[in-house]
Amino acid sequence: MDSQDSAVAKLDACRHIFLAKLGTGPSLDLRIFVVEARVQDELVSVGAGDRDLDAIFAEAHPIMTKEGYDAFTIIFESYVCFSVRNETYAIPEDDEDYSRRLRTHEQSAFLDFVSKGTWASSDHPGPFVHYTVICEDHVIDVACNSEPIIEHRIVTADDL
């Protein structure tokens, strides 16, 4: 298994990632499984049924996941709160670091939401941070008082 720094570097190096699975475990952990995707060489005709759109998409290159690409499980132990947003509607934070797939915020609208909607505080469970996982199609926000554990592996046929 890769070291945490190596796994984070590999995650951040992915130009595209897709959310493949998200779930909670019995010990109040949140597990997010994401897979790398890449722009493919082959062309695909979309056929939207609209002449103008069909002309725009006439030679589209799909973004897909394949065997041999990178996959990551991001584990947040004892999270306070999490949210999944459709990336189309997500508003970025003022301090967004666009070079990172896993972003950290000390202050954010999500932390304001958590402070108003829960009794969690810096006293209990302790100081917590807003982590954001940026995927194609989804933005996952997590408030947690410990850094996530990131496990790296390679996509297999069972993942597809």
Side-chain angles (χ1 to χ4, degrees):
M1 184 184 302
D2 292 337
S3 73
Q4 286 297 288
D5 290 341
S6 174
V8 169
K10 287 178 181 177
L11 176 64
D12 284 338
C14 294
R15 178 140 167 86
H16 306 279
I17 60 173
F18 284 104
L19 173 62
K21 189 180 196 182
L22 181 143
T24 58
S27 60
L28 287 179
D29 61 342
L30 174 65
R31 293 176 177 265
I32 302 168
F33 182 61
V34 296
V35 292
E36 177 188 21
R38 298 179 192 165
V39 176
Q40 304 300 302
D41 290 333
E42 63 268 10
L43 297 174
V44 174
S45 179
V46 174
D50 177 279
R51 185 173 39 134
D52 293 333
L53 283 177
D54 287 345
I56 292 169
F57 294 125
E59 295 188 4
H61 292 267
I63 299 173
M64 298 173 52
T65 297
K66 291 187 175 181
E67 284 185 67
Y69 290 7
D70 292 310
F72 304 89
T73 302
I74 306 167
I75 304 165
F76 292 93
E77 296 176 321
S78 299
Y79 67 90
V80 173
C81 182
F82 73 90
S83 171
V84 180
R85 294 181 281 165
N86 176 329
E87 64 89 23
T88 303
Y89 300 101
I91 298 172
E93 293 293 331
D94 292 335
D95 65 343
E96 287 289 348
D97 178 356
Y98 291 93
S99 68
R100 311 279 322 261
R101 286 282 162 202
L102 176 64
R103 302 172 184 175
T104 305
H105 311 277
E106 300 289 329
Q107 297 177 1
S108 68
F110 182 68
L111 286 175
D112 293 343
F113 166 78
V114 172
S115 70
K116 290 178 181 170
T118 72
W119 56 268
S121 71
S122 59
D123 293 329
H124 183 76
F128 51 93
V129 174
H130 172 196
Y131 295 95
T132 307
V133 181
I134 305 295
C135 303
E136 305 296 321
D137 304 328
H138 299 93
V139 175
I140 305 148
D141 300 291
V142 182
C144 191
N145 67 345
S146 61
E147 290 187 17
I149 299 164
I150 302 173
E151 298 173 350
H152 170 259
R153 66 181 179 78
I154 301 300
V155 173
T156 66
D158 292 338
D159 297 319
L160 302 176

